[in-house]
Amino acid sequence: DVQLVESGGDSVQDGGSLRLACKVSGFTAAERNIAWYHQASGKQCEKVADISSDGVTYVGYYWKGRFTISRDNAENTVYLQMDNLKSEDAGMYYCTAVRGKPIMVALSPDCPFSGMDYWGKGTRVTFST
């Protein structure tokens, strides 16, 4: 049974850190390109970072220097380390996987969107004052 299960979302304060995990089951994470998307309430869904099956990583301009994507092959899990969090980072974070093609969608009206093999249900990040 194929599943992507996100975890790690929590309530944080400005400047805080979280590590999100995308646990893959039913296929090998290293065989697919995997991305993290963020959707704030009422906003479009935007690509935060991705990691190719070859292990090449990309982090979007807004998050560069604050977020890091990585993959643990032994755990079959892709992580998103988020540091120096800002209130604009609040929202749902989804992981998605596709085989054999790069993940080119930077912005979409909504997540999930078509063209990907699998999506998780998301994990929520909120901010506390």
Side-chain angles (χ1 to χ4, degrees), residues 4 6 35-40 43-47 92-98 103 105-123:
L4 300 179
E6 302 95 333
W36 282 97
Y37 280 82
H38 167 243
Q39 187 163 30
K43 301 285 180 69
Q44 295 190 82
C45 188
E46 51 192 355
K47 188 172 80 170
M92 290 295 292
Y93 286 79
Y94 300 92
C95 69
T96 183
V98 69
I103 302 173
V105 176
L107 207 58
S108 175
D110 207 358
C111 275
F113 52 84
S114 62
M116 305 298 289
D117 294 339
Y118 307 109
W119 284 88
K121 289 182 167 47
T123 187

Side-chain angles (χ1 to χ4, degrees), residues 4-78:
L4 300 179
V5 179
E6 302 95 333
S7 62
D10 205 344
S11 180
V12 294
Q13 294 184 327
D14 271 5
S17 295
L18 284 174
R19 188 176 77 155
L20 305 184
C22 173
K23 175 69 174 174
V24 175
S25 57
F27 67 91
T28 301
E31 292 178 348
R32 281 178 165 83
N33 302 320
I34 294 178
W36 282 97
Y37 280 82
H38 167 243
Q39 187 163 30
S41 180
K43 301 285 180 69
Q44 295 190 82
C45 188
E46 51 192 355
K47 188 172 80 170
V48 175
D50 67 41
I51 183 165
S52 75
S53 55
D54 294 335
V56 176
T57 61
Y58 162 85
V59 178
Y61 177 81
Y62 176 74
W63 302 277
K64 198 179 288 289
R66 299 192 298 124
F67 290 14
T68 305
I69 189 170
S70 62
R71 185 177 67 217
D72 185 326
N73 292 337
E75 295 293 325
N76 213 30
T77 299
V78 172

